């Protein structure tokens, strides 16, 4: 218990996940929405790890998720592997690819690395579209079986959000570990990290591989839940959305990607036309970069401090009631 | 073989035009404008609804206006103390997404393409498209003008000074911020020009903006991003590679060429030196 208490983000995440799944369980439409939102939260969390911690502005998380999804589809449909085992493949394949790419390019600047991930994402997408005999080309693969005992949308919903909690726990452990601190040093000053004896390329590549594995598992879940996957399911658009959600929520904060995903998803549902989504996302990104460079969640500490100052003696009560907002 | 090379040279000048703003901006502001491809897209879309030479002028103005928006965002970000170059790139990325979405909203998923010449010239059995020759000529002309601007004018000297040492240039009384803003505008002009050329050659649709940006970046880095003058050559090299891939391999490889180019160049070249500089 003490271990969990020293991990506030995981505690908050656990509370939020339980409350939101319980709320969503009342309505089948909400369950479905919440599963898909959960998949996006996983991909956004993976972007948070790669950009917020390793400083790799990744535009290929959607492609990693697609590889995870296709790995799930191909290994269950073609090789008849029991669902569940394929999670290992779905996580390992993108991780390997990410590690290889990162070893090649992390010695370069963050800008060059970002472009390399964009290029890799595009290459993966084109490959998925064209390898007809494996991926089914433009048509995609249908009839992917469910995951064993997980057979209702509600169970998928619980599974997705449990996975999110697990990822947040691992993420928080990473941040509090020597590796996480070393990543922090690298992000601020690479030369300093080298002088401290940190193996910079290896650590960055490892963190990027970890984030790719999370994105791959998100794709695995998506494929099993929808039971169908095509090149349009998880594409560059997904990567871009995940990146924007992460930055808008707060890339350096563990729960930032979650906040960004939920915020944007809720707002997009109220847009008059689906085509406007990009304008909205892009505009929100620019506004956030100008008004709140640390993201939505980054605003919270200042907001809380202001509340405390203004409220005077009663501030403690006010701050305590305002706290749940800080988690969203 | 020769035909593919000739075709590649004609198509490559477009990449060259897209590469110029990448290189200029990287030199003067140390960042990348992801929206250059979006300016091209915007110009092509505007040119389809306004007819004739006026359309081209309006299209270029639209592209420059969009780039001015990016320039303003850059200035605001600088004003509030942003030093991390990747934040500027991220903001331009947001603008690119917004422009692509705007095009989708206003014009739908239609492809923007306009055939200019129905006749092809024939030279020793090789088909040459007049538009390709115009593209190549324009690319060379713009590169030449840029060379003259950079190396033979006061403005060019100030730009090079701002690129070499921003704080030193600032101390010498050079308006560095204004020059960087101007570089963003130039990105709009060149991107818009490239967009018009694509409209009259291969055509494009609303999904093209990011791959155009990436193609331009690839062309800019092949022979070194620090020199704008190598961009045209880089673009031609990329165009030839693409044409050869189209001739001898599958469609999959052809579509991958610009991206593979970027990946290969980034992983083998010593770009780390050229793009060096730690995070602030």
């Amino acid at each position: 218990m003490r271990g969990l208490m020293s991990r506030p983000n995981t505690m908050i995440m656990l509370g939020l996940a339980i409350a939101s799944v319980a709320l969503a369980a009342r309505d089948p439409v909400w369950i479905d929405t919440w599963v898909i939102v959960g998949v996006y939260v996983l991909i956004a969390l993976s972007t948070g790890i790669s950009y917020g911690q390793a400083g790799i502005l990744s535009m290929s998380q959607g492609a990693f998720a697609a590889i995870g999804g296709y790995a799930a589809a191909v290994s269950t449909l073609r090789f008849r592997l029991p669902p569940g085992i394929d999670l290992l493949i779905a996580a390992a394949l993108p991780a390997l690819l990410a590690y290889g790419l990162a070893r090649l390019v992390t010695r370069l600047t963050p800008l060059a690395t970002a472009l390399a991930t964009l290029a890799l994402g595009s290459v993966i997408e084109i490959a998925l579209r064209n390898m007809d005999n494996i991926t089914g080309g433009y048509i995609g693969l249908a009839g992917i079986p469910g995951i064993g005992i997980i057979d209702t949308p509600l169970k998928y919903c619980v599974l997705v959000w449990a996975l999110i909690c697990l990822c947040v726990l691992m993420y928080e452990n990473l941040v509090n570990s020597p590796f996480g601190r070393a990543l922090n040093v690298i992000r601020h000053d690479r030369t300093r990290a080298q002088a401290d004896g940190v193996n910079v390329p290896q650590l960055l590549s490892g963190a990027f591989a970890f984030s790719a594995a999370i994105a791959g598992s998100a794709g695995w879940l998506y494929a099993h839940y929808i039971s169908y996957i095509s090149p349009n399911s998880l594409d560059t658009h997904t990567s871009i959305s995940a990146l924007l959600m992460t930055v808008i929520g707060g890339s350096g904060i563990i729960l930032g990607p979650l906040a960004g995903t939920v915020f944007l998803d809720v707002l997009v549902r109220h847009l008059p036309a689906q085509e406007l989504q990009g304008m909205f996302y892009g505009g929100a990104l620019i506004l956030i970069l100008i008004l709140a460079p640390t993201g939505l969640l980054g605003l919270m500490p200042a907001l809380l401090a202001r509340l405390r100052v203004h409220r005077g003696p009663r501030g403690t009560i006010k701050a305590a009631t305002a706290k749940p907002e800080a988690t969203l | 073989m020769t035909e593919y090379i000739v075709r590649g040279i004609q198509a490559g000048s477009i990449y060259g035009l897209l590469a110029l703003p990448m290189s200029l901006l990287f030199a003067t502001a140390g960042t990348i404008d992801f929206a250059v491809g979006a300016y091209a897209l915007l110009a092509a879309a505007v040119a389809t609804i306004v007819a004739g030479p006026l359309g081209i002028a309006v299209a270029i103005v639209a592209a420059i206006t969009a780039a001015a928006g990016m320039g303003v965002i850059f200035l605001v970000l600088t004003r509030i103390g942003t030093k991390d170059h990747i934040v500027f790139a991220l903001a331009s990325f947001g603008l690119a997404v917004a422009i692509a979405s705007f095009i989708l909203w206003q014009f739908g998923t239609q492809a923007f393409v306009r055939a200019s010449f129905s006749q092809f010239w024939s030279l020793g059995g090789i088909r040459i498209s007049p538009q390709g020759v115009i593209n190549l000529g324009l690319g060379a002309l713009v590169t030449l003008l840029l060379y003259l601007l950079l190396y033979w004018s006061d403005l060019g000297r100030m730009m090079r000074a701002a690129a070499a040492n921003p704080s030193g240039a600032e101390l010498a009384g050079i308006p560095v911020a204004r020059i960087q803003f101007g570089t963003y505008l130039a990105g709009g002009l060149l991107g818009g020009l490239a967009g018009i050329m694509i409209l009259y050659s291969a055509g494009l649709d609303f999904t093209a903006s990011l791959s155009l940006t990436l193609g331009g970046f690839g062309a800019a880095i092949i022979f070194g991003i620090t020199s704008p003058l190598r961009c045209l050559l880089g673009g031609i090299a990329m165009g030839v590679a693409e044409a050869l891939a189209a001739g001898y391999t599958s469609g999959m490889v052809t579509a991958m060429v610009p991206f593979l180019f970027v990946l290969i160049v980034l992983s083998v070249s010593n770009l780390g030196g050229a793009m060096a500089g730690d995070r602030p």
Side-chain angles (χ1 to χ4, degrees), chain A residues 71-109:
Chain A
V74 172
S75 50
T76 49
L77 288 176
R78 184 169 297 226
F79 299 109
R80 305 276 167 214
L81 282 182
I85 307 289
D86 57 342
L87 174 60
L88 292 177
I89 305 169
L93 261 183
L96 274 177
L97 205 59
Y99 190 83
L101 175 80
R103 281 319 287 256
L104 284 179
V105 297
T106 43
R107 63 194 166 84
L108 308 175
T109 62

Side-chain angles (χ1 to χ4, degrees), chain A residues 177-188:
Chain A
S177 72
F179 297 113
R181 303 219 171 86
L183 280 173
N184 242 323
V185 178
I186 295 174
R187 213 167 63 249
H188 286 109

Side-chain angles (χ1 to χ4, degrees), chain B:
Chain B
M1 177 81 178
T2 326
E3 173 150 11
Y4 292 130
I5 291 177
V6 169
R7 202 183 294 168
I9 290 174
Q10 294 172 17
S13 50
I14 293 176
Y15 285 126
L17 261 194
L18 286 167
L20 284 174
M22 297 287 162
S23 168
L24 276 180
L25 193 67
F26 190 79
T28 51
T31 186
I32 289 168
D33 190 352
F34 271 106
V36 167
Y39 306 149
L41 173 63
L42 185 66
V46 169
T48 49
I49 50 167
V50 186
L54 179 69
I56 293 176
V58 174
I60 302 273
V61 169
I64 294 179
T65 314
M70 186 55 224
V72 170
I73 293 168
F74 172 80
L75 288 184
V76 171
L77 282 173
T78 324
R79 188 66 58 83
I80 63 169
T82 309
K83 293 215 170 57
D84 197 348
H85 289 155
I86 205 149
V87 173
F88 304 128
L90 201 53
S92 70
F93 188 65
L95 185 69
V97 171
I99 292 179
S101 161
F102 174 77
I103 301 288
L104 175 64
W105 176 47
Q106 284 296 324
F107 299 87
T109 52
Q110 59 164 309
F112 305 109
V113 65
R114 191 183 282 172
S116 49
F117 298 91
S118 51
Q119 292 272 312
F120 284 86
W121 296 333
S122 179
L123 193 78
I126 297 171
R127 275 194 342 155
I128 296 176
S129 127
Q131 185 61 41
V133 174
I134 294 178
N135 290 354
L136 190 61
L138 257 178
L141 181 69
V142 169
T143 307
L144 180 71
L145 286 178
L146 199 66
Y147 176 80
L148 292 179
L149 173 77
L150 275 180
Y151 292 95
W152 295 91
S153 75
D154 285 349
L155 180 62
R157 200 160 52 237
M158 291 202 287
M159 282 175 81
R160 284 184 290 136
N165 183 351
S167 34
E170 192 80 63
L171 283 176
I174 294 174
V176 174
R178 240 182 286 169
I179 284 180
Q180 289 167 338
F181 181 75
T183 313
Y184 271 106
L185 287 187
L189 172 68
L190 295 169
L193 213 55
I196 302 285
M197 279 159 53
I198 301 170
L199 174 69
Y200 282 102
S201 331
L204 75 173
D205 71 357
F206 78 101
T207 57
S209 80
L210 270 186
S211 49
L212 285 180
T213 302
L214 209 53
F217 179 76
I221 59 175
I222 295 171
F223 298 119
I225 196 168
T226 43
S227 160
L229 303 170
R230 298 175 195 160
C231 289
L232 189 64
L233 286 179
I236 288 172
M238 199 139 120
V240 170
E242 207 171 28
L244 286 177
Y248 293 105
T249 63
S250 65
M252 175 168 98
V253 178
T254 314
M256 282 180 181
V257 160
F259 311 118
L260 287 178
F261 230 115
V262 171
L263 278 179
I264 293 170
V265 172
L266 281 179
S267 52
V268 299
S269 76
N270 189 24
L271 199 72
M275 294 185 87
D278 227 349
R279 244 165 247 263

